[in-house]
Short mmCIF file of all heavy atoms in Angstrom, two decimals:
data_model
loop_
_atom_site.label_atom_id
_atom_site.label_comp_id
_atom_site.label_asym_id
_atom_site.label_seq_id
_atom_site.Cartn_x
_atom_site.Cartn_y
_atom_site.Cartn_z
N ALA A 53 -4.78 14.60 -19.68
CA ALA A 53 -3.55 15.40 -19.32
C ALA A 53 -3.99 16.81 -18.96
O ALA A 53 -3.41 17.42 -18.06
CB ALA A 53 -2.49 15.38 -20.35
N SER A 58 -1.84 13.94 -10.99
CA SER A 58 -0.49 13.82 -10.47
C SER A 58 0.38 12.85 -11.25
O SER A 58 1.57 13.02 -11.37
CB SER A 58 -0.54 13.27 -9.03
OG SER A 58 -1.49 13.99 -8.33
N ALA A 103 13.98 -8.40 -18.25
CA ALA A 103 15.11 -7.56 -18.46
C ALA A 103 14.84 -6.68 -19.66
O ALA A 103 15.17 -5.48 -19.67
CB ALA A 103 16.36 -8.40 -18.65
N PRO A 252 -27.88 4.47 -19.28
CA PRO A 252 -26.49 4.82 -19.27
C PRO A 252 -26.21 6.27 -18.76
O PRO A 252 -25.30 6.52 -17.94
CB PRO A 252 -25.99 4.63 -20.66
CG PRO A 252 -26.95 3.64 -21.27
CD PRO A 252 -28.25 3.80 -20.59
N PRO A 303 -6.40 27.79 -2.16
CA PRO A 303 -5.27 27.81 -1.19
C PRO A 303 -5.75 27.37 0.18
O PRO A 303 -6.94 27.70 0.53
CB PRO A 303 -4.86 29.34 -1.17
CG PRO A 303 -5.90 30.06 -1.90
CD PRO A 303 -6.77 29.13 -2.71
#
Side-chain angles (χ1 to χ4, degrees):
S58 311

